[in-house]
Each structure stands twice: as structure tokens, then as C-alpha cells.
């Protein structure tokens, strides 16, 4: 059984890698989240997270920001994806690529560009921190919303819409009763691709001078303060939110297809 | 009326996506320090970009990191995908699930937890670059695995068997039969790994040596500082990267087009 031997065991290095650098860090994270600096078991970090008005405020602010970013992305991306999918251009693939291409430019450089433009328009970024953050994240994450929507809408069976309008539905009814429900899979995976990064990508806020913390910035600040225990608790809470969200949006298969499609 | 709306929306979308980059690129050719100021043509930013040693080492450091970590990730992920594909079903799905963790996890959490494990628990110095490289491999290897696996599924299994029956050793059969069939997946996995590494900020922040900067960490620090000369040199950098991306996209399209035509000719 020589051939079965040769191929199966090729996976061993990767299996070891996954155990060492994917599973072990998570276990360490759990250990640190429930211990104090002398290594004793404690729930202080957990209780601290849910009783400290600052961390709860941060959690709420992150959720609010992520919600706003997701809605704005959806409102902008849907008409683009829809027009693209329904258009009769010969070169749809190229236009889709045009929307994806900016993702290949380092996101901090793209944000620099956006920051300079916003500064020229607003004069001082400090006046509208929340709105600027929403604009910055929308600018950053928009392709992640456009792609899954486009993929779903372009595969819709047009005859369903024709049938609906033949049977007397007006264009608004066709959209609300046929097109929109059928694009739900794309909407859900778009939301999954945008909502979670919006809770954690604190660089966008940093670069646009929004000094309010989101969940990601909390980890960053505990990291700077060498407070591994509180930082681990935040990371753990974040991880639970991510797991819950991933399960809620129906697995991850669509998601990596879309992240993969960015190339 | 309806026919116009669609293209208008698409054009507006493209304007939203591209105008900041294009406007910044135009201003990179002037000596202005803010957007909106009307100034004359100048290559000052490009001279700063190509003559400041600090900027040069930061850029080449980022590129080197991307290539090294992507090479490791590609080898590891490809072998992992092959190994997992020929393992028992249960093992295969275990691989799939664990592989998914870094994909869905926030980069902040991945970077922070790796930093605790390697630096705090095991005392590995960040100056060895080990935490940084491990971090970037962890970030990108799942995507190599994910881009190789579908190619393995599409493969015709009888070819490998035939090669063995005809006397090839498993190693030779692997190299000459399996590898060519999954090669496009390996290449796109590698390209994916490079882009992820180049774009990363969070994992680098938590695992890099204090004296080393990637483009992302450098840019974020530069925006906090008040060094206008460096700030506008970064506009030039973003213009250069934009041009490279455009050229790469055009090249890729020509390549794809050619491939499609070849296929069509073969079919005919």
C-alpha cells in the first residue's frame, strides 16, 4: 500500500502548523482571558467587560458603526451590482474587475487618498468623526459587498421576472417580490463580509482622526499597555461574536468563494 | 430612460471608487502639501520616494516579507490540501474546519493571539522575524488550501493510477501527474497570499520587530506624524502602486483573452 502512504502523509506539516499556530493560540487566548497576572483563575476580566461602561459603550459603538457601514454599503452596492448584472455590456467581467482592482492597492494608501479628499472638502475631519468613519469603511469594503451581490444577481433566472410582469405585476412588485428575495443569498454573504471587519478595523478610525474606540482598538490599547489578560478577554468576546455571526449567516463557503474571487 | 440609469449608476460607482486615488496621483506630481492647492508640476515627491533610504528599506522589506511568507504558505497549503484530500473523510473535514478559523477570524484576534503564544508564552523575540513570518503564513495559507482543493476535486484520479501502473514512483507521479493538474490553483493561491500579506496591517502590528515597518504600518505612523515631506512622498508611492496594479490587470486580461482564444481554436 505504498501509494496511499505517500499522499496522505503530505498533509502532516500543515496539520502540525494548524495545531501550533491556529488552535494553540486560541487555547492560550482562553487561558489568558480567565487568569490574572499571577496565573490564577479569575472571572474578573469577564465581569469587568460586562460591567465597565467603557467597554460596553465600545461594543455598542462598534455595533452601531458596523450596522451603519453595512447599510450604506448595501444601499450603494445593490444598484451597482444590479445594473452590472442586468446590463448587456460585452465586457462585464472587465467592469467587475475595475471595481475589485482598488483592493490590490494597500488599504492604508487608499485611505490616505480618501483622507486628503475629505480634508479638502470638510476642512477639518474632527467635526464629523462618525460620518467620516462610515465613509472610510464604505470606501474600503464596498467591493466585498458588490461581488457577492453581483454573483447572485447575475445568476438569477430572468424568465421568473418576465413571468411576473406578464401576470400583471408592475416593476416595483417584480423587484420586491421576485428579484429582492432571490438576491438574499448575495445580500447575506455581503453583510457577512462587511459587518465583521467594520467592528474591528480600527485603522480606518485612526487614520480619519476618529478617536472613539471600536472593539479592535480595545485590543490594540491593551496590547500597548501589555495587559494580555484584559486584551484576551476582548479578543475572546470578539471571537464569540464572529462565530455566532458566521453560523447565523449560514456558514462560510460563500464567503471564501467571494474573498477568493477578489483575485 | 431605464437604459441610461444602469450605466450612470455604474459610472458613479467607479467615480466614487477611483476619484480619491486618481486625484491623489495627480497631486503627487506637484509640490502641494494639501489637496486643493493649485501648484506647479514637480517630481519632488518621486525624488524623495526613490532616494530616502528609510522608504526604500520599508518598501523592499514589505515585498520580501510577502514573497517569503507566501512561498512558505504555498508549499505548506498545497501539501496540506493534497494530504487532506487523500485522507479519511473525518480527517479531511477536520482540516477543512480548522483551515476556516483564520479565514473568518478577525485579523486583530489572529495577530494578538499569535503574539501572546509566541512572544509572551514562549518568549520568542519579535526581532527574529519568526512571529511576523508565522503570522503572515497563518493569514494566507488557508487561502492556498482553498484554491488548491477544488483543483484536486476536478482531477481525473485514473491518471495517477496509470502512472503508478506504468512504473512511476509515487514521488514522480505526484510531480508529473498531480502537480501539473493543480498548478493553476497553486499559482492563484500564491498570488492571493502575496496580496493578503501586502495588504496586512493588524498581524504585522502585533508581531513585527519594533524597528521594522511594512507599508501599512509605516503609512499609519506617517499619518500620525507631521512630516509633510514623507507624507507627500507616500502619495507618489500610492501612484506607483496604482500604476503597477493597472498594468497587472491589463496583463491578466490579455492573458485570459489569449487563453480563451486558444481554447476556442482547440475546440474548433
Amino acid at each position: 500500500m505504498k501509494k496511499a502512504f505517500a499522499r496522505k502523509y503530505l498533509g502532516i506539516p500543515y496539520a502540525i502548523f494548524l495545531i501550533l499556530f491556529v488552535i494553540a493560540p486560541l487555547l492560550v487566548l482562553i487561558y489568558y482571558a480567565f487568569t490574572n497576572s499571577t496565573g490564577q483563575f479569575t472571572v474578573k476580566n469577564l465581569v469587568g467587560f460586562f460591567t465597565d461602561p467603557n467597554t460596553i459603550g465600545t461594543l455598542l459603538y462598534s455595533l452601531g458603526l458596523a450596522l451603519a457601514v453595512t447599510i450604506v454599503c448595501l444601499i450603494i452596492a445593490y444598484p451597482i451590482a444590479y445594473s452590472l448584472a442586468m446590463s448587456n455590456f460585452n465586457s462585464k467581467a472587465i467592469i467587475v474587475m475595475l471595481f475589485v482592482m482598488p483592493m490590490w492597492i494597500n488599504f492604508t494608501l487608499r485611505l490616505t487618498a480618501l483622507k486628503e479628499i475629505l480634508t479638502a472638502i470638510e476642512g477639518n475631519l474632527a467635526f464629523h468623526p462618525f460620518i467620516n468613519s462610515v465613509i472610510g469603511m464604505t470606501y474600503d469594503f464596498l467591493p466585498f459587498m458588490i461581488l457577492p451581490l453581483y454573483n447572485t444577481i447575475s445568476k438569477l433566472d430572468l424568465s421568473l421576472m418576465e413571468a411576473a410582469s406578464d401576470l400583471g405585476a408592475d416593476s416595483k412588485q417584480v423587484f420586491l417580490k421576485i428579484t429582492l428575495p432571490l438576491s438574499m443569498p448575495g445580500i447575506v454573504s455581503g453583510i457577512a463580509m462587511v459587518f465583521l471587519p467594520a467592528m474591528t478595523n480600527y485603522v480606518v478610525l485612526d487614520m480619519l482622526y476618529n478617536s472613539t474606540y471600536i472593539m479592535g482598538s480595545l485590543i490594540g490599547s491593551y496590547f500597548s499597555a501589555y495587559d494580555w489578560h484584559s486584551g484576551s478577554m476582548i479578543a475572546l468576546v470578539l471571537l464569540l461574536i464572529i462565530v455566532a455571526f458566521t453560523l447565523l449567516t449560514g456558514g462560510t463557503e460563500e464567503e471564501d468563494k467571494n474573498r477568493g474571487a477578489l483575485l | 430612460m431605464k437604459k441610461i440609469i444602469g450605466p450612470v449608476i455604474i459610472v458613479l460607482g467607479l467615480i466614487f471608487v477611483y476619484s480619491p486615488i486618481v486625484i491623489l496621483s495627480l497631486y503627487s506630481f506637484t509640490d502641494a502639501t494639501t489637496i486643493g492647492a493649485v501648484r506647479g508640476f514637480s517630481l519632488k515627491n518621486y525624488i524623495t520616494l526613490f532616494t530616502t533610504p528609510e522608504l526604500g528599506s520599508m518598501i523592499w522589506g514589505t515585498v520580501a516579507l510577502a514573497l517569503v511568507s507566501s512561498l512558505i504558505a504555498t508549499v505548506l497549503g498545497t501539501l496540506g490540501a493534497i494530504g487532506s484530500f487523500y485522507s479519511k473523510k473525518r480527517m479531511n473535514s477536520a482540516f477543512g474546519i480548522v483551515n476556516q478559523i483564520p479565514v473568518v477570524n478577525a485579523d486583530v484576534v489572529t495577530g494578538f493571539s499569535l503574539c501572546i503564544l509566541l512572544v509572551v508564552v514562549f518568549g520568542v523575540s519579535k526581532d527574529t522575524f519568526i512571529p511576523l513570518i508565522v503570522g503572515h503564513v497563518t493569514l494566507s495559507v488557508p487561502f492556498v488550501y482553498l484554491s488548491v482543493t477544488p483543483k484536486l476535486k476536478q482531477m481525473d484520479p485514473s491518471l495517477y493510477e496509470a502512472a503508478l501502473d506504468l512504473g512511476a514512483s509515487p514521488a514522480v507521479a505526484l510531480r508529473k501527474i498531480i502537480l501539473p493538474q493543480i498548478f493553476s490553483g497553486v499559482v492563484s493561491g500564491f498570488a492571493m497570499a502575496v496580496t493578503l500579506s501586502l495588504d496586512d496591517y493588524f498581524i504585522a502590528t502585533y508581531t513585527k520587530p519594533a524597528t521594522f515597518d511594512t507599508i501599512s504600518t509605516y503609512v499609519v505612523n506617517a499619518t500620525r506624524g507631521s512630516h509633510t515631506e514623507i507624507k507627500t512622498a507616500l502619495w507618489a508611492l500610492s501612484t506607483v502602486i496604482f500604476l503597477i496594479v493597472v498594468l497587472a490587470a491589463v496583463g491578466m486580461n490579455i492573458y485570459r483573452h489569449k487563453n480563451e482564444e486558444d481554447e476556442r481554436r482547440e475546440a474548433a
Side-chain angles (χ1 to χ4, degrees), chain B residues 3-250:
Chain B
K3 273 186 186 143
I4 308 171
I5 289 180
V8 167
I9 289 173
I10 293 171
V11 170
L12 285 178
L14 286 173
I15 291 176
F16 173 66
V17 173
Y18 281 97
S19 58
I21 310 170
V22 171
I23 293 173
L24 198 77
S25 296
L26 293 178
Y27 271 88
S28 73
F29 290 103
T30 68
D31 54 6
T33 54
T34 51
I35 302 287
V38 186
R39 289 298 186 88
F41 178 81
S42 157
L43 286 176
K44 183 183 112 277
N45 293 325
Y46 290 85
I47 295 168
T48 316
L49 177 66
F50 290 114
T51 55
T52 312
E54 187 188 88
L55 286 169
S57 63
M58 171 276 283
I59 294 166
W60 292 118
T62 309
V63 173
L65 171 68
L67 291 179
V68 170
S69 66
S70 303
L71 271 178
I72 300 174
T74 306
V75 173
L76 205 57
T78 305
L79 290 180
I82 297 173
S84 138
F85 186 70
Y86 291 109
S87 299
K88 292 214 178 71
K89 214 171 186 178
R90 212 193 251 165
M91 192 64 189
N92 182 292
S93 61
F95 262 110
I97 291 169
V98 182
N99 187 72
Q100 215 52 42
I101 295 175
V103 177
V104 294
N105 204 349
D107 294 350
V108 196
V109 177
T110 308
F112 184 78
S113 62
L114 269 173
C115 168
I116 294 191
L117 178 80
L118 291 173
V119 181
V120 181
V121 176
F122 286 116
V124 180
S125 162
K126 287 184 188 172
D127 293 331
T128 59
F129 284 92
I130 292 173
L132 180 57
I133 291 174
V134 167
H136 274 211
V137 173
T138 310
L139 174 73
S140 47
V141 71
F143 292 94
V144 178
Y145 179 96
L146 287 172
S147 68
V148 172
T149 301
K151 300 285 164 197
L152 286 163
K153 284 184 187 152
Q154 289 164 13
M155 223 168 46
D156 181 354
S158 52
L159 287 174
Y160 179 81
E161 311 283 332
L164 291 188
D165 288 346
L166 292 171
S169 71
V172 170
L174 195 71
R175 212 174 55 229
K176 301 239 163 173
I177 305 293
I178 296 188
L179 196 59
Q181 295 187 74
I182 60 171
F183 195 67
S184 62
V186 177
V187 171
S188 66
F190 176 76
M192 190 90 201
V194 171
T195 20
L196 284 166
S197 172
L198 289 177
D199 210 46
D200 167 67
Y201 168 84
F202 294 100
I203 290 179
T205 329
Y206 294 108
T207 55
K208 75 180 180 64
T211 51
F212 176 84
D213 262 313
T214 65
I215 293 179
S216 306
T217 61
Y218 190 90
V219 171
V220 171
N221 286 333
T223 48
R224 288 193 188 122
S226 52
H227 237 296
T228 36
E229 201 174 297
I230 294 292
K231 183 185 99 174
T232 52
L234 290 173
W235 298 1
L237 176 63
S238 110
T239 308
V240 171
I241 294 179
F242 182 45
L243 284 179
I244 295 174
V245 165
V246 170
L247 287 178
V250 170

Side-chain angles (χ1 to χ4, degrees), chain A residues 231-261:
Chain A
S232 296
M233 184 48 82
I234 306 286
L236 202 61
V237 171
L238 207 47
L239 197 62
L240 289 179
I241 295 175
I242 291 168
V243 170
F245 202 85
T246 310
L247 294 178
L248 205 72
T249 50
T252 56
E253 217 165 284
E254 274 293 309
E255 188 174 335
D256 41 68
K257 231 185 283 159
N258 290 317
R259 247 175 118 163

Side-chain angles (χ1 to χ4, degrees), chain A residues 119-194:
Chain A
T119 311
I121 295 171
E122 296 174 21
N124 188 340
L125 289 179
F127 293 139
H128 311 287
F130 186 79
I131 294 173
N132 287 337
S133 305
V134 173
I135 297 174
M137 287 189 167
T138 304
Y139 182 62
D140 200 6
F141 304 147
L142 193 63
F144 286 128
M145 188 64 101
I146 293 180
L147 263 184
L149 285 175
Y150 171 78
N151 287 338
T152 309
I153 300 173
S154 62
K155 284 187 200 104
L156 291 186
D157 186 355
L158 291 179
S159 54
L160 290 174
M161 293 149 211
E162 274 162 31
S165 56
D166 285 349
L167 292 170
D170 58 38
S171 55
K172 195 175 138 202
Q173 279 170 321
V174 173
F175 179 76
L176 288 177
K177 303 241 163 178
I178 312 281
T179 317
L180 197 58
L182 287 177
S183 10
M184 262 343 248
I187 295 177
V188 170
S189 69
I191 291 175
M193 303 275 295
V194 170

Side-chain angles (χ1 to χ4, degrees), chain A residues 89-105:
Chain A
F89 299 126
N90 308 323
S91 44
K92 276 190 215 176
I94 292 180
I95 300 175
V96 173
M97 194 167 164
L98 281 178
F99 277 104
V100 172
M101 229 167 63
M103 301 299 283
W104 299 342
I105 304 172

